[in-house]
Amino acid sequence: MSTSYLERYDAAPDTEKFPLVRRWMDTEPLPFFKELREKRPILVTPDCTLVTRFDDVREILKMYKVFTVKPYVPKMDNYLMAHDDDALHTREKSLMQFMLNRDDLPKVRNMVADIARGILGKANGQIEIVNSFCRMVPATLVQDYFGLTGANREDLIEWSYWNQYDTFHNHPFDLVPPELSQRIIDRHNETSKKLGEYITMLIAKRFLAVKAEKLTFSTIIRLRDDIVTRMLRTSFAKELDFDIKRLGVNAGGLLIGAIETTSQAVAQILQYLFQHPQWLEAAKTAAQKEDTADFDGIIWEALRFSPITPYLFRTTASDYTAAKGTNYETVLRTGTYVLPVTLSAMFDERAFESPDEFIPQRNWYNYFHFGFGNHECLGRYVGMVMIPEMVRQVLLQKNIEAKGNIDYKAGPFPEAYQLSWTTQ
């Protein structure tokens, strides 16, 4: 039997080509992508096109008007990430980055540490880490720092979950069965309605509270600082088109982007480290240091091997010749689903020295952990302190160990992962 992926791909009937590719992407991605980078860096399948080399992936992700986020549009309710390099996207992303003040990051990391220690301290030496910690820590931060108060954390988690599932894991190239695809859409619609009702009520109540705070000059009513309160305290010129409705949309976006992605990253980093004792011990040692730079470097390198997604996705708005001037230049036709395979790009020897080796403290700018270009994650700086600090607090537990591997329950997200440690 041939061991070449491309030989097996070329021999398969057209109807079986992409399912074969999808299976390799899910079950043996690194050797598959390595062969593509070497022999066919741009793979055109009947369903979509994979782009696997570092420079080509960056090219795709920088050309916002050619390679668009059209697949997001029906799933994001006019949120800024569904816009490609237009006035709304630039304006609202800039305003939200202003609100998510990077000077807050030391405080945010301390908040995450406190939340994490509180959960672990009550766990009595054993925990199902996904639901009780990986999802619960960011859900608590969503309340305490983003300001989405007045809802159960379990509801916040559910709203984030189904939005993430439908937006990023329910497309033709995901090969989701029709009945499951419709169920995901239905749950997304159902939870989005509940989220919308919650956001409307939250903004109305907080708006009145901010008004009362101003009227009393903060002498009687003084609100806690959080992102929602910051937005409502700020006066935006009419010409900015950032009215109360747009404020609410962006408040909801903070929730949707924060919980499930963080949960998946933390769970998968932990599993990678538990499966690689050398780096587990190095991480435990680094976790003891007051300066977290060495520890964080280990975490980001672990995430390179186990990212939350192996690819991003775009739709081609016009014909474009990718990798022009190379021996594999390819015309990508209008309407093509294009998958810039970021996992493959992070193992490209053209950008990563000895890419198959685990080397902490690599060049941060070559990672794709938070995307790249115009659609790079709005909350990436919050994620850059939240993710490693969550992992750090787990690894500070004495004799911490995993009881088996992550259970995905046939879905895209970690759903259960048992850990235990010594409490005495």
Side-chain angles (χ1 to χ4, degrees):
M1 180 178 177
S2 170
T3 58
S4 166
Y5 294 103
L6 287 171
E7 286 180 10
R8 282 179 278 172
Y9 172 84
D10 290 338
D14 282 353
T15 56
E16 297 179 17
K17 286 185 184 298
F18 186 66
L20 200 58
V21 166
R22 181 77 240 193
R23 177 161 61 83
W24 293 331
M25 291 170 67
D26 292 340
T27 60
E28 42 194 311
L30 293 182
F32 173 52
F33 295 147
K34 184 174 184 178
E35 183 173 325
L36 291 186
R37 289 194 305 274
E38 292 173 354
K39 298 180 179 178
R40 201 173 302 172
I42 298 178
L43 177 65
V44 179
T45 82
D47 294 80
C48 62
T49 296
L50 278 63
V51 179
T52 61
R53 286 191 182 176
F54 181 87
D55 287 345
D56 301 328
V57 166
R58 281 200 167 195
E59 178 184 26
I60 299 298
L61 294 176
K62 285 192 297 186
M63 305 190 69
Y64 320 122
K65 292 292 192 182
V66 177
F67 299 99
T68 73
V69 291
K70 185 179 178 181
Y72 295 1
V73 172
K75 300 169 182 282
M76 282 197 167
D77 191 27
N78 204 30
Y79 180 54
L80 67 91
M81 297 303 288
H83 289 251
D84 282 298
D85 196 25
D86 62 7
L88 184 147
H89 184 281
T90 302
R91 178 176 64 249
E92 295 195 357
K93 192 167 190 179
S94 299
L95 288 169
M96 293 307 296
Q97 286 174 330
F98 174 57
M99 294 295 163
L100 293 166
N101 186 357
R102 287 179 67 178
D103 289 338
D104 292 344
L105 295 181
K107 178 182 77 172
V108 171
R109 187 154 192 159
N110 287 334
M111 291 174 70
V112 171
D114 288 344
I115 295 165
R117 281 194 293 263
I119 292 172
L120 296 170
K122 295 177 182 177
N124 197 30
Q126 57 183 358
I127 193 171
E128 190 290 288
I129 200 81
V130 175
N131 292 286
S132 298
F133 181 87
C134 295
R135 287 171 172 152
M136 197 58 68
V137 173
T140 306
L141 192 74
V142 162
Q143 294 178 324
D144 295 350
Y145 176 59
F146 293 160
L148 275 72
T149 57
N152 295 326
R153 287 177 294 178
E154 290 79 8
D155 288 337
L156 297 174
I157 290 168
E158 183 179 37
W159 298 339
S160 174
Y161 182 93
W162 289 108
N163 270 276
Q164 287 283 331
Y165 203 157
D166 190 27
T167 302
F168 298 105
H169 300 278
N170 191 23
H171 296 275
F173 44 82
D174 293 303
L175 299 184
V176 179
E179 60 278 6
L180 175 57
S181 177
Q182 188 57 53
R183 176 173 175 266
I184 295 167
I185 293 169
D186 291 343
R187 290 306 307 275
H188 180 190
N189 291 339
E190 175 188 334
T191 54
S192 290
K193 181 180 179 182
K194 292 178 181 178
L195 173 58
E197 292 169 350
Y198 159 73
I199 291 290
T200 299
M201 186 64 67
L202 170 72
I203 299 301
K205 288 182 177 180
R206 194 71 58 83
F207 177 78
L208 293 175
V210 167
K211 285 285 189 185
E213 180 185 55
K214 289 180 178 179
L215 287 172
T216 62
F217 300 98
S218 300
T219 58
I220 299 175
I221 297 175
R222 179 65 180 175
L223 299 176
R224 183 181 64 184
D225 174 52
D226 57 49
I227 304 305
V228 171
T229 300
R230 285 180 191 177
M231 288 193 285
L232 286 166
R233 281 175 174 159
T234 306
S235 297
F236 299 99
K238 180 181 178 182
E239 290 77 10
L240 291 178
D241 291 331
F242 197 71
D243 59 15
I244 200 81
K245 181 178 180 181
R246 296 308 305 165
L247 189 154
V249 169
N250 281 276
L254 292 173
L255 161 68
I256 292 166
I259 299 178
E260 202 57 44
T261 50
T262 301
S263 173
Q264 185 170 11
V266 170
Q268 291 180 180
I269 290 167
L270 284 168
Q271 176 169 263
Y272 181 89
L273 293 174
F274 282 123
Q275 292 175 343
H276 296 82
Q278 173 190 357
W279 295 111
L280 176 63
E281 291 309 310
K284 286 181 176 179
T285 300
Q288 303 289 333
K289 300 178 182 178
E290 184 175 348
D291 184 343
T292 61
D294 289 344
F295 181 82
D296 292 1
I298 294 171
I299 296 313
W300 301 126
E301 182 68 350
L303 193 60
R304 182 171 72 95
F305 283 83
S306 56
I308 63 172
T309 180
Y311 59 82
L312 302 174
F313 51 89
R314 300 289 186 264
T315 299
T316 309
S318 58
D319 289 359
Y320 181 78
T321 302
K324 194 167 185 177
T326 68
N327 62 359
Y328 61 91
E329 70 175 42
T330 305
V331 177
L332 303 177
R333 299 297 182 188
T334 303
T336 301
Y337 282 123
V338 178
L339 308 189
V341 187
T342 49
L343 174 57
S344 175
M346 290 192 291
F347 282 81
D348 189 339
E349 64 277 3
R350 296 158 191 82
F352 289 81
E353 182 179 353
S354 304
D356 296 332
E357 297 180 21
F358 190 103
I359 304 176
Q361 313 305 328
R362 288 187 184 272
N363 177 4
W364 167 264
Y365 297 100
N366 283 347
Y367 287 135
F368 290 92
H369 296 330
F370 294 93
F372 179 78
N374 205 34
H375 288 281
E376 191 172 29
C377 176
L378 168 67
R380 66 188 181 279
Y381 294 113
V382 173
M384 286 170 66
V385 296
M386 179 161 54
I387 291 168
E389 188 58 35
M390 287 174 64
V391 177
R392 179 171 171 267
Q393 291 301 321
V394 172
L395 297 187
L396 286 172
Q397 307 308 306
K398 186 178 179 182
N399 299 322
I400 185 79
E401 61 180 0
K403 302 295 185 181
N405 295 322
I406 292 173
D407 185 354
Y408 288 84
K409 301 188 186 298
F413 305 120
E415 299 292 353
Y417 191 30
Q418 298 288 339
L419 304 183
S420 67
W421 60 93
T422 303
T423 57
Q424 299 296 329

